[in-house]
Amino acid sequence: MKRSVVAVGALIVVSRLMAQQPPPAIALNQLGFYPEASRMAVVTGPVKGEAFYLLEAASKDTVYKGRLTRATPSHNSSLVTHKADFTDFKGKGNFVLYVPGSGNSYLFRIADAVNRPLALAVLKGYYFIRSNQPLMPEYAGAWSRPAGHPDTAVIIHPSAASAARPAGTVLSAPGGWYDAGDYNKYVVNSGISTSTLLSAYEDFPAYFDTLKTNIPESNNTIPDILDEALYNLRWMLTMQDPGDGGVYHKLTNAAFDGMVMPGVTKLPRYLVQKSTAAALNLAAVAAQAARLLKKQKLLPALADSCLKAAAKAWKWAEANPAVYYRQSALNAAFDPDITTGEYGDGKLEDEWFWAAAEVYAATKEPVYFKVLQQGLHHAVTLPSWNEVRMLGYYTLLNTKAEPDLQQALKDTLIRMADQYVASREQNAFGVVMGQAPADFIWGSNAVAANQGELLVKAFLLTGNQNYLSGALSNLDYIAGRNATGYSFVTGIGSKPVMHPHHRPSQADGIEAPVPGLLSGGPNPGRQDGCTYPYTEPETAFVDNVCSYASNEIAINWNAPIVYLAHAIEALQTKLKPIR
């Protein structure tokens, strides 16, 4: 009897494992590989023998034969993988990989600038989510549309009322990006997103100076990436009360719109409660923009306005250091109820550090340096919308702060980078992403991209090739070398995400989604209640509009993939194979 129970239990376990595993596939960057970098594909599922073959795409001739690695069990699912490394092959062109038992891979290229389509797409993705501009056919192609919400007549919500601006006051706050799959605009999430684009330009100005993305501003004298960042920054500036310097937390409908095109609904739009987090976000980004514009001798009037706005926002935050945005409390006190994204943050030490770093870098005033000194002893993590201390590190390391401070910041960043690359070889997909199941959270693809960005920063500080190779591995992950087999950027690769949780992509009547948007990625939390075919950490993803927990898009997820993809393109001549 005991033996029978064990056997039945074993069958149940086996069936569950089989149900958890996607069909066998060859996972690889679906765009391809750089000629001088490492080249690897990953086979998921059983294989027949140890050989793999690289075939020239047109002739199907075998141009390289290699041996698969031993089976590697994944730490993040029940998958077992074999790696196919063909770095030794020297040649350019179009190819497929053939693995007996798994068939052919998607077609890919070995070429210079092989990730340029992805890099251009994710930056152009911001143009497609501009809120109050019509998207014209010459720039938007099939995804052209009328302007969305003009936001020239938005209402002061009772939670935001002041003597100078009582409830019901009508103001204008046009511009900015729609935040995610919805049609609202949030200062807090705009902060990290805009800052990351500015940081990309600061690190690679010569590269971006000549980069064109076919946006309406492409023929002016400002690099396209700055034009895009400034489009959102100008909106952020409208969110500041010029009277006291405070910053409204968000501009929003009372409730989310349905799955309709932007601007179809005519519901009231509100400026909702000022918050300390919003003030510090504006202080940081405005100061960063002012410093960068002055450094590049661009738009001096805007630079001056940004610096003044940063100083006023900082002063308001000093006078109001603990004004948290708590939507349930707000709704208990005021009408109408606001039920859109909260972006509440009850821990602001990291925002104080980031804002102090940016305003200090722009002004060198000692008062901000004191805040930095006090904040150095706090732990630092990978950037996210509610954990922005590392953004201050990036700026201080770029602006040559005091030597002792500089060294402390560098040591911390390099320790993190070393931890990321240390266990990459043991990863079933040969990538930095997924060193632990905890990487697979809501917006896990932003974790991968932010890891990549940090590793690029480490490479720029040290020249250590391991960091750059690790960063490239995470770009490969996003472009297809992952447990789902998807390219997570819309419009990119042979198996791209097709049904993101994104209202225009659902409502525009076009089969293909709006291009250049990064899907959130595997999330075993599955907070949306949708049906997921696989539920383990690295496979818990479904390409369905229902799935806002794994398949929504968001500006703070697109930003680090913009940084990572363009950084890899800018640094491609420095890539070397890692053995």
Side-chain angles (χ1 to χ4, degrees), residues 248-446:
Y248 302 106
H249 195 77
K250 59 179 176 177
L251 192 164
T252 181
N253 291 7
F256 289 115
D257 277 334
M259 286 291 175
V260 297
M261 291 297 286
V264 169
T265 62
K266 306 299 180 184
L267 298 171
R269 305 269 280 177
Y270 296 96
L271 291 174
V272 184
Q273 188 199 310
K274 296 169 186 172
S275 72
T276 309
L280 292 172
N281 269 263
L282 179 62
V285 176
Q288 182 184 12
R291 176 175 55 82
L292 187 54
L293 291 173
K294 287 186 175 182
K295 181 180 178 182
Q296 298 298 322
K297 298 181 172 58
L298 296 170
L299 304 174
L302 179 59
D304 289 342
S305 296
C306 284
L307 202 54
K308 290 175 183 175
K312 291 188 72 171
W314 178 273
K315 287 182 179 179
W316 187 92
E318 282 187 315
N320 302 272
V323 180
Y324 303 110
Y325 186 81
R326 295 187 172 116
Q327 200 152 273
S328 59
L330 181 150
N331 288 337
F334 304 105
D335 289 320
D337 283 2
I338 302 295
T339 58
T340 53
E342 184 167 14
Y343 288 106
D345 190 352
K347 181 185 68 64
L348 300 180
E349 292 90 349
D350 53 306
E351 279 84 1
W352 282 107
F353 184 89
W354 176 36
E358 298 294 359
V359 186
Y360 175 72
T363 66
K364 300 301 180 184
E365 293 181 12
V367 63
Y368 304 111
F369 188 70
K370 291 180 181 178
V371 177
L372 294 176
Q373 288 177 309
Q374 295 165 1
L376 271 180
H377 304 295
H378 291 272
V380 63
T381 65
L382 203 66
S384 63
W385 69 264
N386 60 350
E387 186 50 67
V388 292
R389 187 182 303 273
M390 182 58 76
L391 303 184
Y393 277 51
Y394 291 163
T395 285
L396 293 169
L397 286 167
N398 261 352
T399 53
K400 309 304 179 190
E402 283 68 9
D404 289 347
L405 174 62
Q406 192 98 2
Q407 191 61 50
L409 299 173
K410 180 178 177 181
D411 289 347
T412 299
L413 188 148
I414 296 305
R415 277 196 299 271
M416 290 181 66
D418 286 341
Q419 291 169 359
Y420 285 139
V421 298
S423 59
R424 176 185 159 200
E425 290 305 312
Q426 284 69 55
N427 183 284
F429 289 84
V431 298
V432 168
M433 175 62 181
Q435 293 190 350
D439 279 357
F440 297 98
I441 59 172
W442 197 325
S444 63
N445 283 337

Side-chain angles (χ1 to χ4, degrees), residues 121-133 135 140 143 145 148-149 175-185 189-190 193 197 228 231-232 262 269 490 501-505 514-518 553-559:
V122 291
L123 179 52
K124 180 71 173 284
Y126 282 99
Y127 168 72
F128 287 108
I129 56 175
R130 292 185 183 186
S131 64
N132 75 321
Q133 282 190 354
L135 305 187
W143 297 276
R145 60 167 171 81
H149 298 79
W177 304 315
Y178 291 127
D179 177 73
D182 60 287
Y183 293 139
N184 305 302
K185 300 183 289 190
N189 208 35
S190 279
S193 308
L197 266 59
E228 199 57 70
Y231 178 81
N232 196 61
R269 305 269 280 177
T490 56
H501 184 87
H502 178 236
R503 281 161 174 77
S505 294
V514 171
L517 304 178
L518 179 65
I553 65 95
I555 57 174
N556 62 311
W557 302 342
N558 250 62

